[in-house]
């Protein structure tokens, strides 16, 4: 089974694309789980941070915000954001470590998420599995772990551009259906 990676520059629509794919797959009863990250904003439309949303149960937690917490093992800084590594691990590790469905969706495997070495390890293991299909988003320019995933010919890479993002969901859905033999 070839896993699927979706890449593109920040703000191009990777998360929106993933959410559309999730909805369409749920409509045809594909067994899936995983998570996506989405920004949250204040009433003046200013970005405050990012939250993690678990697909199966809609459970949510804060991945990062603009607080001034000091870096520790559980909390890391990335630019203006404080990344809550322990919160992230507590939400997503149980999903991935005991995964038993057909499709694992991960949005995203990026710098914030990779502050968790547990996550990096378990994702590395998951990408060597043929027990389930992975659809994941990755940044256009990522850390070495991401670049290694993108170079791996066992993974199919889709790049989101402004002019292809509308039709890309159908291309990815066709690929998912073919890989899962639906």
């Amino acid at each position: 089974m070839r896993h699927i990676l979706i890449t593109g520059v920040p703000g191009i629509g990777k998360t929106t694309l993933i959410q559309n794919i999730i909805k369409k797959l749920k409509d045809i009863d594909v067994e899936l789980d995983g998570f996506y990250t989405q920004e949250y904003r204040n009433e003046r439309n200013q970005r405050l941070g990012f939250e993690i949303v678990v697909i199966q149960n809609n459970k949510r937690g804060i991945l990062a915000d603009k607080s001034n917490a000091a870096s520790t093992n559980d909390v890391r800084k990335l630019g203006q954001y404080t990344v809550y590594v322990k919160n992230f691990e507590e939400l997503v590790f149980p999903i991935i470590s005991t995964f038993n469905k057909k499709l694992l969706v991960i949005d995203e495997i990026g710098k914030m998420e990779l502050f968790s070495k547990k996550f990096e390890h378990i994702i590395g293991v998951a990408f060597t599995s043929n027990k389930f299909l992975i659809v994941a988003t990755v940044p256009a320019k990522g850390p070495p772990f991401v670049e290694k995933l993108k170079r791996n010919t066992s993974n199919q890479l889709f790049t989101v551009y402004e002019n292809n993002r509308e039709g890309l969901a159908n291309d990815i859905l066709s690929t998912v259906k073919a890989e899962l033999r639906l």
Side-chain angles (χ1 to χ4, degrees):
M1 198 174 305
R2 293 182 69 192
H3 299 299
I4 297 168
L5 297 175
I6 302 167
T7 191
V9 297
I12 197 69
K14 296 182 297 291
T15 297
T16 302
L17 179 66
I18 278 287
Q19 289 171 325
N20 291 339
I21 291 168
I22 291 167
K23 182 185 178 321
K24 289 179 181 185
L25 289 169
K26 282 184 170 183
D27 287 347
I28 59 170
D29 292 326
V30 173
E31 273 190 326
L32 63 94
D33 202 356
F35 68 93
Y36 59 91
T37 56
Q38 65 182 21
E39 60 184 38
Y40 63 94
R41 295 177 174 269
N42 65 15
E43 61 281 347
R44 293 181 304 233
N45 205 30
Q46 297 166 314
R47 184 192 299 160
L48 299 177
F50 298 91
E51 67 179 349
I52 310 153
V53 181
V54 177
I55 295 167
Q56 195 65 35
N57 60 16
N58 209 33
K59 188 173 182 180
R60 295 165 186 263
I62 301 300
L63 172 61
D65 64 19
K66 292 184 178 179
S67 74
N68 291 320
S71 285
T72 66
N73 285 340
D74 294 340
V75 177
R76 300 287 299 272
K77 294 295 280 183
L78 182 64
Q80 61 185 331
Y81 293 101
T82 299
V83 180
Y84 300 97
V85 177
K86 187 174 182 182
N87 286 358
F88 175 71
E89 289 175 348
E90 287 174 352
L91 273 171
V92 304
F93 199 78
I95 299 165
I96 301 167
S97 62
T98 61
F99 196 76
N100 63 357
K101 296 184 173 33
K102 289 184 177 184
L103 178 64
L104 175 62
V105 178
I106 303 169
D107 173 47
E108 94 171 43
I109 305 171
K111 289 178 185 175
M112 288 183 183
E113 296 82 5
L114 290 173
F115 278 139
S116 169
K117 293 303 165 194
K118 285 181 181 179
F119 177 71
E120 182 175 329
H121 172 76
I122 201 160
I123 289 300
V125 171
F127 267 87
T128 63
S129 173
N130 284 323
K131 295 179 181 175
F132 51 85
L133 177 65
I134 300 171
V135 175
T137 63
V138 294
K141 293 181 181 174
F145 180 80
V146 169
E147 295 305 313
K148 183 179 173 186
L149 288 175
K150 286 166 46 177
R151 285 190 308 269
N152 185 335
T153 57
S154 296
N155 301 324
Q156 186 166 359
L157 185 65
F158 290 88
T159 303
V160 183
Y161 299 104
E162 226 173 275
N163 64 351
N164 77 343
R165 63 182 170 202
E166 298 305 318
L168 200 54
N170 289 331
D171 294 343
I172 294 169
L173 280 169
S174 294
T175 303
V176 168
K177 289 176 182 178
E179 290 295 330
L180 295 177
R181 294 177 174 85
L182 297 176

